[in-house]
Amino acid sequence: MADLGFIGIGRVGRLALELVSKEYKDLDIVTIDCRDLSKYVSRINPDIRFYRTCDPSEAVDLLHGTPIVATALPSRIARRHIEKLLKNGLNVVDVSFIDFDPYDLENLCMNKRTYYVVDAGFAPGFSNLVVGKIYHELGDLDQVRIYVGGIPVEPIPPVGYQITWSPEDLIEEYIRPARVIIDGKINVVDPLKEIIDVEIPHFGFYQGFYSDGLRTLLRNVRAKEMFEITIRYRGHLEAMKVLRELGFFSKEEIEVNDYKIEPYRFTARLFEKVLKQTIPDMAILFIDIVKDEHYYRLLSSLVGSLEKPATALYTALVYARTIMLALEKGFNCGVHPLEDLHYYFHDYVAYLSKHDVLFDIKTNIT
């Protein structure tokens, strides 16, 4: 029996593993991935055990008795792993870009006396924490506007973007319907139907699209207007619209030389090769919240490197700190998005600041 398990050692998972293992040097950790990443894991810490499997049942057997399992998986496989872990009495801290309602697993958590911390990342994730904090202080809100993006420090041809996280989940942002609140009601919008001009303080002008980052906030926070917009350099979204319209993001199988393939998976591999990162990126989060005469504006940013891209690193920092809180304090049974953890806001900010994340907060809330 280990103290902590990791399933998914991709860009975010490996950074979080490194952060947690440095903070807790004597922790007994087991790691699992579909690929053979044993050499990489050994370089982080030779005492960390690694197993290669894609089978959720086998993963559960390998982690039997482990109190906390951290999962960082592609959205297409996340649910079956998470559900299997919870069914077997294992607590889960997850950073996957899930495509289901996490509260579907609430009864399972209560029956098995487990907890499931969902969306423990950048946005959704830290953005939820910020909104949860202000909602807890002010109650129902008039306006919640979240602007977020992980982009190169300058636009890079051919599409002004480079891959710093899961390319499959990047495509998912462009095809998954986005939920926003307008006039107090939930509306579902096509993410690429409208391209929006955006100005971020101190950073300048971008274009953006509605993305499905509100997720649990739709259930847990009442507001007259609430949305998340993901930002990109000018011209990028027009290119993505063309690719989508041509079918490159489709999940419907097509046959090519007697082989069946899903176009979006082919496109993801192509993105990973052609849009490989060559310059540093930056992660930007701007949240503007209004309630009557009260306002709260948080601008946060991180500039990364080729070894540690900002988007993946910011996500991993929030993920790692959430894992640490699970180790140190634990959580009650049930589903917990980060807005539930608003009382740890200053703890997160201190940890992120220690790792070079910048914050600029303007508010008249006393």
Side-chain angles (χ1 to χ4, degrees), residues 282-325:
M282 55 184 177
I284 302 170
L285 176 65
F286 177 53
I287 302 177
D288 186 10
I289 302 174
V290 176
K291 166 69 179 287
D292 297 328
E293 74 279 5
H294 301 293
Y295 69 87
Y296 183 93
R297 297 185 181 101
L298 178 144
L299 176 63
S300 181
S301 61
L302 174 66
V303 177
S305 65
L306 296 183
E307 294 76 27
K308 294 183 177 181
T311 312
L313 180 56
Y314 201 130
T315 304
L317 286 165
V318 179
Y319 182 37
R321 189 61 199 136
T322 310
I323 295 166
M324 293 175 197
L325 287 172

Side-chain angles (χ1 to χ4, degrees), residues 73-347:
L73 297 162
S75 57
R76 62 185 168 83
I77 64 170
R79 178 164 187 158
R80 63 178 182 265
H81 280 82
I82 293 165
E83 197 162 0
K84 195 77 173 178
L85 292 166
L86 294 171
K87 279 182 178 178
N88 283 270
L90 303 177
N91 297 305
V92 174
V93 177
D94 181 49
V95 74
S96 311
F97 190 53
I98 57 171
D99 57 358
F100 62 92
D101 182 353
Y103 287 99
D104 289 348
L105 303 179
E106 176 85 8
N107 289 337
L108 174 60
C109 288
M110 301 308 293
N111 291 336
K112 294 296 182 178
R113 309 301 298 162
T114 58
Y115 60 76
Y116 169 28
V117 183
V118 61
D119 286 339
F122 177 30
F126 186 73
S127 54
N128 298 58
L129 191 79
V130 174
V131 176
K133 173 185 183 297
I134 303 306
Y135 183 67
H136 177 74
E137 294 176 6
L138 298 182
D140 293 4
L141 302 171
D142 292 334
Q143 191 179 88
V144 178
R145 297 176 174 178
I146 302 168
Y147 303 91
V148 61
I151 55 178
V153 292
E154 61 185 62
I156 295 292
V159 294
Y161 190 82
Q162 294 187 327
I163 297 296
T164 59
W165 64 301
S166 166
E168 289 187 12
D169 285 342
L170 169 69
I171 292 171
E172 190 72 17
E173 283 195 314
Y174 301 133
I175 62 176
R176 186 183 297 182
R179 292 163 295 172
V180 301
I181 292 181
I182 300 171
D183 295 329
K185 296 180 180 179
I186 297 175
N187 286 254
V188 180
V189 299
D190 177 343
L192 293 182
K193 183 176 182 180
E194 181 181 4
I195 295 176
I196 304 150
D197 289 325
V198 175
E199 182 180 8
I200 306 295
H202 307 298
F203 284 90
F205 294 91
Y206 301 91
Q207 289 184 327
F209 63 101
Y210 290 115
S211 45
D212 196 45
L214 297 183
R215 296 147 79 89
T216 55
L217 291 174
L218 296 166
R219 172 188 176 120
N220 297 326
V221 170
R222 294 205 304 183
K224 294 176 184 176
E225 177 188 66
M226 182 161 56
F227 58 72
E228 179 194 83
I229 287 177
T230 294
I231 62 171
R232 295 286 187 260
Y233 287 112
R234 292 184 180 277
H236 173 83
L237 295 175
E238 287 87 349
M240 295 303 102
K241 286 183 73 170
V242 170
L243 289 176
R244 194 181 74 168
E245 289 170 10
L246 289 172
F248 284 90
F249 296 166
S250 173
K251 294 184 179 181
E252 184 177 341
E253 285 188 342
I254 61 172
E255 191 169 303
V256 180
N257 294 335
D258 298 326
Y259 291 95
K260 289 185 177 181
I261 63 169
E262 296 166 292
Y264 89 101
R265 296 186 71 175
F266 164 77
T267 305
R269 298 289 79 77
L270 201 58
F271 276 2
E272 200 157 32
K273 179 180 179 181
V274 177
L275 304 181
K276 186 176 181 179
Q277 188 180 13
T278 59
I279 64 171
D281 70 326
M282 55 184 177
I284 302 170
L285 176 65
F286 177 53
I287 302 177
D288 186 10
I289 302 174
V290 176
K291 166 69 179 287
D292 297 328
E293 74 279 5
H294 301 293
Y295 69 87
Y296 183 93
R297 297 185 181 101
L298 178 144
L299 176 63
S300 181
S301 61
L302 174 66
V303 177
S305 65
L306 296 183
E307 294 76 27
K308 294 183 177 181
T311 312
L313 180 56
Y314 201 130
T315 304
L317 286 165
V318 179
Y319 182 37
R321 189 61 199 136
T322 310
I323 295 166
M324 293 175 197
L325 287 172
L327 290 165
E328 294 166 7
K329 303 178 184 298
F331 301 108
N332 294 329
C333 299
V335 174
H336 297 290
L338 261 61
E339 59 263 30
D340 285 358
L341 310 185
H342 59 83
Y343 39 84
Y344 292 123
F345 172 78
H346 295 293
D347 179 287

